[in-house]
Every structure is written in C-alpha cells, then in structure tokens.
Amino acid sequence: MPRTTPAPPTASRGLDAADPGGAPGHPAPVRWRTPAGTARRVLAALLVALVAAAGVWVTWRVFVGTEHGQAVDQASLDGAHIGQNRLWEVAEPVLDVVSVGFIAGAVVACAVIAFVRRRWALALVAAGVLAGANVTTRVLKYWVLDRPELGYGPEFNTLPSGHTTAAASVAAAVLLVVPPRARPWAAVLGGAYAGATGVSTLVGQWHRPSDVVAGLLVVLLWGALACAVLALGVDTAADRRPPTAALRAVTPAGRPARADGRGTAVAAWLLTAAAALTGAAALVALRRTWLSDDPVGSTAALLTSYGGGALGIVAVAAASSAALLVLRRSATSGSDRVGPTS
C-alpha cells in the first residue's frame, strides 16, 4: 500500500480555510496557527484594551477635570432640553429596557447560544465581559473618579454612564457568542443599540456625552480583553474536532467559501464609515463650542454642543463595535502556516 503523509496537528485554536491554490475536487492544504500568529492577535487585542483605558482617563480628565471641559459638556446637557418632549417619546422606551433583569436575561441568552454551539468557554468569557464592564463602571463612578466643583453641574461624579455600559456590554457579549455568519449583524445592530441608548440618556438629561463615551470605552476595554483570552486558545472546541470537520467548503474554482469573512469586512467598513462621518461632524461642532468664550451663553451654542455630543456618542459606539468585530474574528480564525491534508 502506498504511504500517505499524516496531517499535521494544529498548533492552537482551530483549523482554517483551505489554500486558494488547491486543485478542484482535491483536498486543499490545511492551515494552522503558529505561536507568533497567536502572539500578534493577543497583542493587538491588548493594545485596543490599553487605548480604551487611556480613552476613559482622557475623557474624564478633559471634560470633568477642567473648567472649560465641564462647560462644553454641560452645554450639551443643557441643550438637550430643546425639543426634548418629542425626542423623549422615542428615548424613554429605549432606556426602560435597561435593568438588572435585562442583564440577567442577556447572561441566560448568551449561555443558551453557547450551549447550542457547544462552546462552553464562550459563555464564561461573555459573562466575564458583562460582569467586568458593569462592575468597573460602578467602581470608577463611585470610588475612583471624582468631579471637582468648577461651577458647572452637580458636584457628584456621573462618569461613566451605567445605562450605556449595560446596553453596550450586552451587545458585546452577544457578538462574542454568536456564530461567525451572525457576527456582522450582531456588530451593526449591537452598535446601533448601544449608540441609541447613549444618545437617549443625553436626550433625557440623565448623562453628559463624556459619561456615555466613557461607558462605551469601558465595554471596549473588556471586550478586547475577552478577545485576547480567546486568541490564547481558551475556546478549544475546534481542536477537538477531526481535521476534516474544520475544512471549509471549497468552490468549484478551488477557493474556500468565506462568506463570513466577506460579511465581517462589509460590516466593519460600514461601521468605520459611520464612525468617521459622525466623528468628523462632532469634532466640527464641539470645536466651535470649545472655542466659544461662553459655551452656554446662547440657544445656538447649546444646540451646537448638543448635536456635537450626540454625534460623538454615535461615532464612539460605531468605532467600538467595528473594533470588537475585527478582534473577535481575528481571535479564533485565520492562520499562519500551511500543511498537507493527505
């Protein structure tokens, strides 16, 4: 009998797509992860987490720790009362959803999804994001950060926003546990929901824009840490499957079918474009407010700051969702080396 070369074992998390160069009708080479590739993915996730943590501190330092920053932030909050009655009819139902029961329901839903997929580690990681983000927000708000009395707003600290953290952490947890083909939808819808919740807290004058942005960044921090954990190979379900089960469908041209990758790219670009457009508009509006001698001195100034704050919230929500989508896919897919399958 002719000798066959055994397939090489996977180095870490899962097997990936077949080589595009494989011949039609024949098994294509299997890809597997190298330690260097794993390290790059972990470092990328940790870098995003570090940027998010720095963003929380900078947001607090500029918009809470300085007199002019407080004035600009307060102008956004004061501007929210203009036309609030109609907007509140839309915003109030969004905020009514967020509660302790809502988070508990999200934990159960994530556990069910992970159970159906037989991915037990995903349930634990998602629960860690939900608990870690919401506990971090409470600790920062009540025991770590303060609000100096500089003449704008109440003396007690309201950063980060608890409602925004709860909504965004649920969106991040769902993104972590759903199957690859559903992740683009989860990222877009989750980012939209987190942004809508954040803007609703501003419409209701519950929170200033800085509070909301800090809440979104806390969730990004924990979501990135979760992706770093997954990149280390904690979720080893794919390694327990036989090699043939990990091979993806191959088109007649011999190229792997990667619809989930295409969907991820489209969703990531869509979210990035939304973040860029709304972020640019927010910068223009907030710059005008920042350069004003009296940010709270006129109705026009209040509306400009209000619009800039709302757009800034949408930009950060979209950018955070795009970053988590890319990190999530990178954590447990992709590979660096190729070996024969037969």
Side-chain angles (χ1 to χ4, degrees), residues 44-57 128-129 132-133 136-137 140 160 165 168-169 172 176 213-229 320 323-324 327:
L46 293 179
L47 178 60
V48 172
L50 180 62
V51 170
V56 173
W57 183 86
V129 170
T136 298
T137 284
L140 289 176
T165 300
S169 62
L176 289 172
V213 168
L216 292 170
L217 292 176
V218 167
V219 174
L220 176 59
L221 163 64
W222 278 93
L225 290 177
C227 290
V229 171
S320 298
L324 288 180
L327 288 177

PDB file of all heavy atoms in Angstrom, residues 44-57 128-129 132-133 136-137 140 160 165 168-169 172 176 213-229 320 323-324 327:
ATOM      1  N   ALA A  44      -2.558  42.628  19.693  1.00  0.00           N
ATOM      2  CA  ALA A  44      -3.484  43.574  19.062  1.00  0.00           C
ATOM      3  C   ALA A  44      -4.686  43.835  19.973  1.00  0.00           C
ATOM      4  O   ALA A  44      -5.112  44.981  20.153  1.00  0.00           O
ATOM      5  CB  ALA A  44      -3.947  43.041  17.708  1.00  0.00           C
ATOM      6  N   ALA A  45      -5.226  42.773  20.557  1.00  0.00           N
ATOM      7  CA  ALA A  45      -6.367  42.937  21.459  1.00  0.00           C
ATOM      8  C   ALA A  45      -5.977  43.719  22.713  1.00  0.00           C
ATOM      9  O   ALA A  45      -6.722  44.592  23.172  1.00  0.00           O
ATOM     10  CB  ALA A  45      -6.929  41.565  21.833  1.00  0.00           C
ATOM     11  N   LEU A  46      -4.811  43.419  23.249  1.00  0.00           N
ATOM     12  CA  LEU A  46      -4.355  44.144  24.439  1.00  0.00           C
ATOM     13  C   LEU A  46      -4.084  45.612  24.135  1.00  0.00           C
ATOM     14  O   LEU A  46      -4.316  46.490  24.978  1.00  0.00           O
ATOM     15  CB  LEU A  46      -3.096  43.480  25.000  1.00  0.00           C
ATOM     16  CG  LEU A  46      -3.280  42.081  25.594  1.00  0.00           C
ATOM     17  CD1 LEU A  46      -1.948  41.534  26.085  1.00  0.00           C
ATOM     18  CD2 LEU A  46      -4.300  42.107  26.732  1.00  0.00           C
ATOM     19  N   LEU A  47      -3.603  45.899  22.931  1.00  0.00           N
ATOM     20  CA  LEU A  47      -3.370  47.288  22.542  1.00  0.00           C
ATOM     21  C   LEU A  47      -4.688  48.057  22.484  1.00  0.00           C
ATOM     22  O   LEU A  47      -4.783  49.199  22.947  1.00  0.00           O
ATOM     23  CB  LEU A  47      -2.668  47.337  21.188  1.00  0.00           C
ATOM     24  CG  LEU A  47      -2.395  48.748  20.625  1.00  0.00           C
ATOM     25  CD1 LEU A  47      -1.505  49.536  21.576  1.00  0.00           C
ATOM     26  CD2 LEU A  47      -1.754  48.652  19.244  1.00  0.00           C
ATOM     27  N   VAL A  48      -5.725  47.435  21.921  1.00  0.00           N
ATOM     28  CA  VAL A  48      -7.040  48.076  21.882  1.00  0.00           C
ATOM     29  C   VAL A  48      -7.559  48.309  23.297  1.00  0.00           C
ATOM     30  O   VAL A  48      -8.122  49.370  23.600  1.00  0.00           O
ATOM     31  CB  VAL A  48      -8.032  47.226  21.068  1.00  0.00           C
ATOM     32  CG1 VAL A  48      -9.446  47.776  21.193  1.00  0.00           C
ATOM     33  CG2 VAL A  48      -7.615  47.184  19.603  1.00  0.00           C
ATOM     34  N   ALA A  49      -7.361  47.334  24.182  1.00  0.00           N
ATOM     35  CA  ALA A  49      -7.795  47.491  25.570  1.00  0.00           C
ATOM     36  C   ALA A  49      -7.063  48.647  26.237  1.00  0.00           C
ATOM     37  O   ALA A  49      -7.665  49.436  26.990  1.00  0.00           O
ATOM     38  CB  ALA A  49      -7.553  46.189  26.341  1.00  0.00           C
ATOM     39  N   LEU A  50      -5.769  48.772  25.959  1.00  0.00           N
ATOM     40  CA  LEU A  50      -4.980  49.870  26.539  1.00  0.00           C
ATOM     41  C   LEU A  50      -5.460  51.221  26.024  1.00  0.00           C
ATOM     42  O   LEU A  50      -5.586  52.180  26.790  1.00  0.00           O
ATOM     43  CB  LEU A  50      -3.500  49.663  26.206  1.00  0.00           C
ATOM     44  CG  LEU A  50      -2.531  50.722  26.747  1.00  0.00           C
ATOM     45  CD1 LEU A  50      -2.574  50.730  28.275  1.00  0.00           C
ATOM     46  CD2 LEU A  50      -1.106  50.439  26.261  1.00  0.00           C
ATOM     47  N   VAL A  51      -5.740  51.303  24.722  1.00  0.00           N
ATOM     48  CA  VAL A  51      -6.254  52.546  24.141  1.00  0.00           C
ATOM     49  C   VAL A  51      -7.597  52.912  24.762  1.00  0.00           C
ATOM     50  O   VAL A  51      -7.870  54.080  25.068  1.00  0.00           O
ATOM     51  CB  VAL A  51      -6.375  52.415  22.607  1.00  0.00           C
ATOM     52  CG1 VAL A  51      -7.130  53.599  22.015  1.00  0.00           C
ATOM     53  CG2 VAL A  51      -4.991  52.306  21.976  1.00  0.00           C
ATOM     54  N   ALA A  52      -8.469  51.907  24.975  1.00  0.00           N
ATOM     55  CA  ALA A  52      -9.762  52.162  25.588  1.00  0.00           C
ATOM     56  C   ALA A  52      -9.601  52.683  27.017  1.00  0.00           C
ATOM     57  O   ALA A  52     -10.297  53.625  27.428  1.00  0.00           O
ATOM     58  CB  ALA A  52     -10.606  50.893  25.571  1.00  0.00           C
ATOM     59  N   ALA A  53      -8.701  52.073  27.778  1.00  0.00           N
ATOM     60  CA  ALA A  53      -8.470  52.523  29.149  1.00  0.00           C
ATOM     61  C   ALA A  53      -7.943  53.964  29.165  1.00  0.00           C
ATOM     62  O   ALA A  53      -8.380  54.788  29.976  1.00  0.00           O
ATOM     63  CB  ALA A  53      -7.480  51.586  29.843  1.00  0.00           C
ATOM     64  N   ALA A  54      -7.006  54.254  28.260  1.00  0.00           N
ATOM     65  CA  ALA A  54      -6.483  55.618  28.170  1.00  0.00           C
ATOM     66  C   ALA A  54      -7.588  56.592  27.765  1.00  0.00           C
ATOM     67  O   ALA A  54      -7.637  57.728  28.246  1.00  0.00           O
ATOM     68  CB  ALA A  54      -5.338  55.670  27.161  1.00  0.00           C
ATOM     69  N   GLY A  55      -8.491  56.145  26.887  1.00  0.00           N
ATOM     70  CA  GLY A  55      -9.595  56.986  26.459  1.00  0.00           C
ATOM     71  C   GLY A  55     -10.518  57.356  27.604  1.00  0.00           C
ATOM     72  O   GLY A  55     -11.016  58.492  27.680  1.00  0.00           O
ATOM     73  N   VAL A  56     -10.781  56.406  28.503  1.00  0.00           N
ATOM     74  CA  VAL A  56     -11.607  56.697  29.674  1.00  0.00           C
ATOM     75  C   VAL A  56     -10.960  57.785  30.518  1.00  0.00           C
ATOM     76  O   VAL A  56     -11.616  58.749  30.940  1.00  0.00           O
ATOM     77  CB  VAL A  56     -11.840  55.431  30.514  1.00  0.00           C
ATOM     78  CG1 VAL A  56     -12.563  55.769  31.820  1.00  0.00           C
ATOM     79  CG2 VAL A  56     -12.645  54.410  29.733  1.00  0.00           C
ATOM     80  N   TRP A  57      -9.659  57.645  30.750  1.00  0.00           N
ATOM     81  CA  TRP A  57      -8.959  58.617  31.594  1.00  0.00           C
ATOM     82  C   TRP A  57      -8.907  59.992  30.935  1.00  0.00           C
ATOM     83  O   TRP A  57      -9.159  61.007  31.595  1.00  0.00           O
ATOM     84  CB  TRP A  57      -7.531  58.133  31.882  1.00  0.00           C
ATOM     85  CG  TRP A  57      -6.802  59.069  32.818  1.00  0.00           C
ATOM     86  CD1 TRP A  57      -6.841  59.057  34.184  1.00  0.00           C
ATOM     87  CD2 TRP A  57      -5.954  60.166  32.444  1.00  0.00           C
ATOM     88  NE1 TRP A  57      -6.068  60.072  34.688  1.00  0.00           N
ATOM     89  CE2 TRP A  57      -5.514  60.769  33.647  1.00  0.00           C
ATOM     90  CE3 TRP A  57      -5.523  60.678  31.228  1.00  0.00           C
ATOM     91  CZ2 TRP A  57      -4.660  61.866  33.655  1.00  0.00           C
ATOM     92  CZ3 TRP A  57      -4.683  61.782  31.237  1.00  0.00           C
ATOM     93  CH2 TRP A  57      -4.256  62.365  32.436  1.00  0.00           C
ATOM     94  N   GLY A 128     -18.028  37.123  31.735  1.00  0.00           N
ATOM     95  CA  GLY A 128     -16.959  37.959  32.283  1.00  0.00           C
ATOM     96  C   GLY A 128     -17.015  39.382  31.770  1.00  0.00           C
ATOM     97  O   GLY A 128     -16.773  40.341  32.508  1.00  0.00           O
ATOM     98  N   VAL A 129     -17.347  39.545  30.478  1.00  0.00           N
ATOM     99  CA  VAL A 129     -17.471  40.886  29.915  1.00  0.00           C
ATOM    100  C   VAL A 129     -18.634  41.636  30.555  1.00  0.00           C
ATOM    101  O   VAL A 129     -18.516  42.806  30.937  1.00  0.00           O
ATOM    102  CB  VAL A 129     -17.659  40.810  28.385  1.00  0.00           C
ATOM    103  CG1 VAL A 129     -18.037  42.178  27.810  1.00  0.00           C
ATOM    104  CG2 VAL A 129     -16.382  40.309  27.727  1.00  0.00           C
ATOM    105  N   GLY A 132     -17.602  42.227  34.304  1.00  0.00           N
ATOM    106  CA  GLY A 132     -16.449  43.106  34.427  1.00  0.00           C
ATOM    107  C   GLY A 132     -16.742  44.535  34.034  1.00  0.00           C
ATOM    108  O   GLY A 132     -16.348  45.482  34.740  1.00  0.00           O
ATOM    109  N   ALA A 133     -17.444  44.732  32.920  1.00  0.00           N
ATOM    110  CA  ALA A 133     -17.721  46.085  32.447  1.00  0.00           C
ATOM    111  C   ALA A 133     -18.635  46.830  33.420  1.00  0.00           C
ATOM    112  O   ALA A 133     -18.383  48.000  33.762  1.00  0.00           O
ATOM    113  CB  ALA A 133     -18.353  46.035  31.059  1.00  0.00           C
ATOM    114  N   THR A 136     -16.825  47.523  36.743  1.00  0.00           N
ATOM    115  CA  THR A 136     -15.812  48.558  36.535  1.00  0.00           C
ATOM    116  C   THR A 136     -16.448  49.945  36.492  1.00  0.00           C
ATOM    117  O   THR A 136     -15.925  50.904  37.076  1.00  0.00           O
ATOM    118  CB  THR A 136     -15.043  48.304  35.226  1.00  0.00           C
ATOM    119  OG1 THR A 136     -14.368  47.054  35.322  1.00  0.00           O
ATOM    120  CG2 THR A 136     -14.030  49.409  34.965  1.00  0.00           C
ATOM    121  N   THR A 137     -17.573  50.070  35.797  1.00  0.00           N
ATOM    122  CA  THR A 137     -18.257  51.361  35.725  1.00  0.00           C
ATOM    123  C   THR A 137     -18.679  51.844  37.108  1.00  0.00           C
ATOM    124  O   THR A 137     -18.503  53.022  37.448  1.00  0.00           O
ATOM    125  CB  THR A 137     -19.483  51.249  34.797  1.00  0.00           C
ATOM    126  OG1 THR A 137     -19.027  51.244  33.445  1.00  0.00           O
ATOM    127  CG2 THR A 137     -20.428  52.418  34.989  1.00  0.00           C
ATOM    128  N   LEU A 140     -15.483  52.870  39.122  1.00  0.00           N
ATOM    129  CA  LEU A 140     -14.940  54.144  38.651  1.00  0.00           C
ATOM    130  C   LEU A 140     -15.830  55.313  39.073  1.00  0.00           C
ATOM    131  O   LEU A 140     -15.337  56.355  39.516  1.00  0.00           O
ATOM    132  CB  LEU A 140     -14.806  54.124  37.129  1.00  0.00           C
ATOM    133  CG  LEU A 140     -13.722  53.229  36.531  1.00  0.00           C
ATOM    134  CD1 LEU A 140     -13.800  53.262  35.005  1.00  0.00           C
ATOM    135  CD2 LEU A 140     -12.337  53.677  36.992  1.00  0.00           C
ATOM    136  N   PRO A 160     -18.453  56.808  34.533  1.00  0.00           N
ATOM    137  CA  PRO A 160     -19.135  56.516  33.263  1.00  0.00           C
ATOM    138  C   PRO A 160     -20.642  56.302  33.458  1.00  0.00           C
ATOM    139  O   PRO A 160     -21.118  56.135  34.572  1.00  0.00           O
ATOM    140  CB  PRO A 160     -18.466  55.225  32.772  1.00  0.00           C
ATOM    141  CG  PRO A 160     -17.268  55.017  33.660  1.00  0.00           C
ATOM    142  CD  PRO A 160     -17.626  55.661  34.970  1.00  0.00           C
ATOM    143  N   THR A 165     -23.213  51.492  29.696  1.00  0.00           N
ATOM    144  CA  THR A 165     -22.363  50.326  29.917  1.00  0.00           C
ATOM    145  C   THR A 165     -23.174  49.040  29.841  1.00  0.00           C
ATOM    146  O   THR A 165     -22.746  48.057  29.219  1.00  0.00           O
ATOM    147  CB  THR A 165     -21.670  50.419  31.277  1.00  0.00           C
ATOM    148  OG1 THR A 165     -20.862  51.596  31.336  1.00  0.00           O
ATOM    149  CG2 THR A 165     -20.784  49.203  31.521  1.00  0.00           C
ATOM    150  N   ALA A 168     -24.224  48.422  26.095  1.00  0.00           N
ATOM    151  CA  ALA A 168     -23.078  48.085  25.246  1.00  0.00           C
ATOM    152  C   ALA A 168     -22.468  46.749  25.640  1.00  0.00           C
ATOM    153  O   ALA A 168     -21.985  45.996  24.777  1.00  0.00           O
ATOM    154  CB  ALA A 168     -22.033  49.189  25.327  1.00  0.00           C
ATOM    155  N   SER A 169     -22.467  46.404  26.930  1.00  0.00           N
ATOM    156  CA  SER A 169     -21.892  45.127  27.357  1.00  0.00           C
ATOM    157  C   SER A 169     -22.746  43.955  26.874  1.00  0.00           C
ATOM    158  O   SER A 169     -22.216  42.897  26.531  1.00  0.00           O
ATOM    159  CB  SER A 169     -21.741  45.085  28.882  1.00  0.00           C
ATOM    160  OG  SER A 169     -22.996  45.187  29.526  1.00  0.00           O
ATOM    161  N   ALA A 172     -21.844  43.520  23.257  1.00  0.00           N
ATOM    162  CA  ALA A 172     -20.531  42.890  23.119  1.00  0.00           C
ATOM    163  C   ALA A 172     -20.597  41.406  23.450  1.00  0.00           C
ATOM    164  O   ALA A 172     -19.968  40.576  22.770  1.00  0.00           O
ATOM    165  CB  ALA A 172     -19.523  43.592  24.029  1.00  0.00           C
ATOM    166  N   LEU A 176     -19.754  38.081  21.002  1.00  0.00           N
ATOM    167  CA  LEU A 176     -18.759  37.066  21.328  1.00  0.00           C
ATOM    168  C   LEU A 176     -19.278  35.647  21.118  1.00  0.00           C
ATOM    169  O   LEU A 176     -18.508  34.753  20.750  1.00  0.00           O
ATOM    170  CB  LEU A 176     -18.303  37.224  22.779  1.00  0.00           C
ATOM    171  CG  LEU A 176     -17.439  38.435  23.110  1.00  0.00           C
ATOM    172  CD1 LEU A 176     -17.232  38.550  24.608  1.00  0.00           C
ATOM    173  CD2 LEU A 176     -16.095  38.365  22.391  1.00  0.00           C
ATOM    174  N   VAL A 213     -19.554  58.313  26.554  1.00  0.00           N
ATOM    175  CA  VAL A 213     -18.338  57.874  25.864  1.00  0.00           C
ATOM    176  C   VAL A 213     -17.481  57.007  26.779  1.00  0.00           C
ATOM    177  O   VAL A 213     -16.947  55.963  26.362  1.00  0.00           O
ATOM    178  CB  VAL A 213     -17.539  59.099  25.369  1.00  0.00           C
ATOM    179  CG1 VAL A 213     -16.135  58.688  24.913  1.00  0.00           C
ATOM    180  CG2 VAL A 213     -18.287  59.784  24.226  1.00  0.00           C
ATOM    181  N   ALA A 214     -17.353  57.401  28.033  1.00  0.00           N
ATOM    182  CA  ALA A 214     -16.574  56.602  28.978  1.00  0.00           C
ATOM    183  C   ALA A 214     -17.188  55.219  29.163  1.00  0.00           C
ATOM    184  O   ALA A 214     -16.475  54.214  29.241  1.00  0.00           O
ATOM    185  CB  ALA A 214     -16.473  57.324  30.318  1.00  0.00           C
ATOM    186  N   GLY A 215     -18.520  55.133  29.234  1.00  0.00           N
ATOM    187  CA  GLY A 215     -19.175  53.832  29.360  1.00  0.00           C
ATOM    188  C   GLY A 215     -18.909  52.935  28.169  1.00  0.00           C
ATOM    189  O   GLY A 215     -18.645  51.737  28.318  1.00  0.00           O
ATOM    190  N   LEU A 216     -18.961  53.500  26.969  1.00  0.00           N
ATOM    191  CA  LEU A 216     -18.669  52.723  25.762  1.00  0.00           C
ATOM    192  C   LEU A 216     -17.225  52.225  25.771  1.00  0.00           C
ATOM    193  O   LEU A 216     -16.942  51.092  25.357  1.00  0.00           O
ATOM    194  CB  LEU A 216     -18.924  53.583  24.526  1.00  0.00           C
ATOM    195  CG  LEU A 216     -20.388  53.951  24.244  1.00  0.00           C
ATOM    196  CD1 LEU A 216     -20.458  55.009  23.146  1.00  0.00           C
ATOM    197  CD2 LEU A 216     -21.196  52.723  23.843  1.00  0.00           C
ATOM    198  N   LEU A 217     -16.309  53.058  26.226  1.00  0.00           N
ATOM    199  CA  LEU A 217     -14.900  52.672  26.242  1.00  0.00           C
ATOM    200  C   LEU A 217     -14.611  51.609  27.299  1.00  0.00           C
ATOM    201  O   LEU A 217     -13.740  50.754  27.102  1.00  0.00           O
ATOM    202  CB  LEU A 217     -14.025  53.908  26.470  1.00  0.00           C
ATOM    203  CG  LEU A 217     -14.006  54.919  25.320  1.00  0.00           C
ATOM    204  CD1 LEU A 217     -13.186  56.154  25.698  1.00  0.00           C
ATOM    205  CD2 LEU A 217     -13.441  54.283  24.051  1.00  0.00           C
ATOM    206  N   VAL A 218     -15.329  51.634  28.405  1.00  0.00           N
ATOM    207  CA  VAL A 218     -15.175  50.574  29.411  1.00  0.00           C
ATOM    208  C   VAL A 218     -15.554  49.219  28.805  1.00  0.00           C
ATOM    209  O   VAL A 218     -14.867  48.211  29.007  1.00  0.00           O
ATOM    210  CB  VAL A 218     -16.039  50.881  30.649  1.00  0.00           C
ATOM    211  CG1 VAL A 218     -16.145  49.641  31.552  1.00  0.00           C
ATOM    212  CG2 VAL A 218     -15.444  52.029  31.446  1.00  0.00           C
ATOM    213  N   VAL A 219     -16.636  49.197  28.044  1.00  0.00           N
ATOM    214  CA  VAL A 219     -17.056  47.948  27.403  1.00  0.00           C
ATOM    215  C   VAL A 219     -16.048  47.527  26.341  1.00  0.00           C
ATOM    216  O   VAL A 219     -15.727  46.333  26.216  1.00  0.00           O
ATOM    217  CB  VAL A 219     -18.454  48.111  26.785  1.00  0.00           C
ATOM    218  CG1 VAL A 219     -18.838  46.868  25.994  1.00  0.00           C
ATOM    219  CG2 VAL A 219     -19.484  48.375  27.874  1.00  0.00           C
ATOM    220  N   LEU A 220     -15.527  48.476  25.578  1.00  0.00           N
ATOM    221  CA  LEU A 220     -14.491  48.144  24.586  1.00  0.00           C
ATOM    222  C   LEU A 220     -13.278  47.535  25.269  1.00  0.00           C
ATOM    223  O   LEU A 220     -12.684  46.569  24.763  1.00  0.00           O
ATOM    224  CB  LEU A 220     -14.101  49.394  23.807  1.00  0.00           C
ATOM    225  CG  LEU A 220     -12.970  49.229  22.791  1.00  0.00           C
ATOM    226  CD1 LEU A 220     -13.317  48.187  21.731  1.00  0.00           C
ATOM    227  CD2 LEU A 220     -12.638  50.571  22.135  1.00  0.00           C
ATOM    228  N   LEU A 221     -12.903  48.081  26.406  1.00  0.00           N
ATOM    229  CA  LEU A 221     -11.780  47.536  27.176  1.00  0.00           C
ATOM    230  C   LEU A 221     -12.009  46.076  27.522  1.00  0.00           C
ATOM    231  O   LEU A 221     -11.151  45.211  27.250  1.00  0.00           O
ATOM    232  CB  LEU A 221     -11.598  48.369  28.442  1.00  0.00           C
ATOM    233  CG  LEU A 221     -10.752  47.766  29.578  1.00  0.00           C
ATOM    234  CD1 LEU A 221      -9.314  47.588  29.131  1.00  0.00           C
ATOM    235  CD2 LEU A 221     -10.830  48.640  30.824  1.00  0.00           C
ATOM    236  N   TRP A 222     -13.162  45.755  28.074  1.00  0.00           N
ATOM    237  CA  TRP A 222     -13.432  44.375  28.476  1.00  0.00           C
ATOM    238  C   TRP A 222     -13.647  43.463  27.283  1.00  0.00           C
ATOM    239  O   TRP A 222     -13.255  42.284  27.310  1.00  0.00           O
ATOM    240  CB  TRP A 222     -14.628  44.334  29.419  1.00  0.00           C
ATOM    241  CG  TRP A 222     -14.235  44.669  30.817  1.00  0.00           C
ATOM    242  CD1 TRP A 222     -14.260  45.900  31.414  1.00  0.00           C
ATOM    243  CD2 TRP A 222     -13.699  43.769  31.793  1.00  0.00           C
ATOM    244  NE1 TRP A 222     -13.779  45.819  32.706  1.00  0.00           N
ATOM    245  CE2 TRP A 222     -13.439  44.528  32.966  1.00  0.00           C
ATOM    246  CE3 TRP A 222     -13.440  42.410  31.806  1.00  0.00           C
ATOM    247  CZ2 TRP A 222     -12.915  43.941  34.117  1.00  0.00           C
ATOM    248  CZ3 TRP A 222     -12.917  41.826  32.954  1.00  0.00           C
ATOM    249  CH2 TRP A 222     -12.665  42.590  34.090  1.00  0.00           C
ATOM    250  N   GLY A 223     -14.264  43.982  26.224  1.00  0.00           N
ATOM    251  CA  GLY A 223     -14.429  43.170  25.026  1.00  0.00           C
ATOM    252  C   GLY A 223     -13.100  42.813  24.393  1.00  0.00           C
ATOM    253  O   GLY A 223     -12.892  41.683  23.925  1.00  0.00           O
ATOM    254  N   ALA A 224     -12.171  43.769  24.377  1.00  0.00           N
ATOM    255  CA  ALA A 224     -10.844  43.499  23.826  1.00  0.00           C
ATOM    256  C   ALA A 224     -10.089  42.484  24.677  1.00  0.00           C
ATOM    257  O   ALA A 224      -9.395  41.598  24.150  1.00  0.00           O
ATOM    258  CB  ALA A 224     -10.050  44.806  23.718  1.00  0.00           C
ATOM    259  N   LEU A 225     -10.218  42.586  25.997  1.00  0.00           N
ATOM    260  CA  LEU A 225      -9.577  41.597  26.875  1.00  0.00           C
ATOM    261  C   LEU A 225     -10.154  40.206  26.629  1.00  0.00           C
ATOM    262  O   LEU A 225      -9.409  39.208  26.644  1.00  0.00           O
ATOM    263  CB  LEU A 225      -9.770  42.001  28.338  1.00  0.00           C
ATOM    264  CG  LEU A 225      -9.010  43.238  28.823  1.00  0.00           C
ATOM    265  CD1 LEU A 225      -9.369  43.552  30.269  1.00  0.00           C
ATOM    266  CD2 LEU A 225      -7.499  43.048  28.681  1.00  0.00           C
ATOM    267  N   ALA A 226     -11.456  40.142  26.397  1.00  0.00           N
ATOM    268  CA  ALA A 226     -12.080  38.847  26.099  1.00  0.00           C
ATOM    269  C   ALA A 226     -11.525  38.262  24.814  1.00  0.00           C
ATOM    270  O   ALA A 226     -11.261  37.052  24.723  1.00  0.00           O
ATOM    271  CB  ALA A 226     -13.592  39.020  25.993  1.00  0.00           C
ATOM    272  N   CYS A 227     -11.333  39.101  23.808  1.00  0.00           N
ATOM    273  CA  CYS A 227     -10.771  38.613  22.539  1.00  0.00           C
ATOM    274  C   CYS A 227      -9.332  38.155  22.720  1.00  0.00           C
ATOM    275  O   CYS A 227      -8.884  37.200  22.067  1.00  0.00           O
ATOM    276  CB  CYS A 227     -10.854  39.709  21.476  1.00  0.00           C
ATOM    277  SG  CYS A 227     -12.549  40.056  20.925  1.00  0.00           S
ATOM    278  N   ALA A 228      -8.588  38.810  23.602  1.00  0.00           N
ATOM    279  CA  ALA A 228      -7.222  38.366  23.895  1.00  0.00           C
ATOM    280  C   ALA A 228      -7.237  36.983  24.526  1.00  0.00           C
ATOM    281  O   ALA A 228      -6.409  36.117  24.204  1.00  0.00           O
ATOM    282  CB  ALA A 228      -6.534  39.371  24.812  1.00  0.00           C
ATOM    283  N   VAL A 229      -8.190  36.742  25.437  1.00  0.00           N
ATOM    284  CA  VAL A 229      -8.315  35.427  26.069  1.00  0.00           C
ATOM    285  C   VAL A 229      -8.660  34.363  25.030  1.00  0.00           C
ATOM    286  O   VAL A 229      -8.075  33.268  25.012  1.00  0.00           O
ATOM    287  CB  VAL A 229      -9.386  35.475  27.179  1.00  0.00           C
ATOM    288  CG1 VAL A 229      -9.691  34.068  27.688  1.00  0.00           C
ATOM    289  CG2 VAL A 229      -8.923  36.364  28.326  1.00  0.00           C
ATOM    290  N   SER A 320     -16.264  51.466  18.316  1.00  0.00           N
ATOM    291  CA  SER A 320     -16.060  50.377  19.278  1.00  0.00           C
ATOM    292  C   SER A 320     -16.601  49.067  18.738  1.00  0.00           C
ATOM    293  O   SER A 320     -15.962  48.011  18.877  1.00  0.00           O
ATOM    294  CB  SER A 320     -16.739  50.719  20.604  1.00  0.00           C
ATOM    295  OG  SER A 320     -16.186  51.877  21.181  1.00  0.00           O
ATOM    296  N   ALA A 323     -14.284  47.728  16.036  1.00  0.00           N
ATOM    297  CA  ALA A 323     -13.063  47.169  16.611  1.00  0.00           C
ATOM    298  C   ALA A 323     -13.306  45.798  17.217  1.00  0.00           C
ATOM    299  O   ALA A 323     -12.518  44.854  17.013  1.00  0.00           O
ATOM    300  CB  ALA A 323     -12.507  48.132  17.663  1.00  0.00           C
ATOM    301  N   LEU A 324     -14.407  45.639  17.949  1.00  0.00           N
ATOM    302  CA  LEU A 324     -14.701  44.343  18.559  1.00  0.00           C
ATOM    303  C   LEU A 324     -15.009  43.283  17.514  1.00  0.00           C
ATOM    304  O   LEU A 324     -14.644  42.115  17.672  1.00  0.00           O
ATOM    305  CB  LEU A 324     -15.867  44.480  19.534  1.00  0.00           C
ATOM    306  CG  LEU A 324     -15.568  45.217  20.841  1.00  0.00           C
ATOM    307  CD1 LEU A 324     -16.811  45.289  21.710  1.00  0.00           C
ATOM    308  CD2 LEU A 324     -14.433  44.533  21.602  1.00  0.00           C
ATOM    309  N   LEU A 327     -11.622  42.220  16.069  1.00  0.00           N
ATOM    310  CA  LEU A 327     -10.869  41.457  17.058  1.00  0.00           C
ATOM    311  C   LEU A 327     -11.484  40.081  17.293  1.00  0.00           C
ATOM    312  O   LEU A 327     -10.769  39.091  17.460  1.00  0.00           O
ATOM    313  CB  LEU A 327     -10.818  42.225  18.379  1.00  0.00           C
ATOM    314  CG  LEU A 327      -9.939  43.470  18.426  1.00  0.00           C
ATOM    315  CD1 LEU A 327     -10.066  44.149  19.783  1.00  0.00           C
ATOM    316  CD2 LEU A 327      -8.482  43.138  18.138  1.00  0.00           C
TER     317      LEU A 327
END
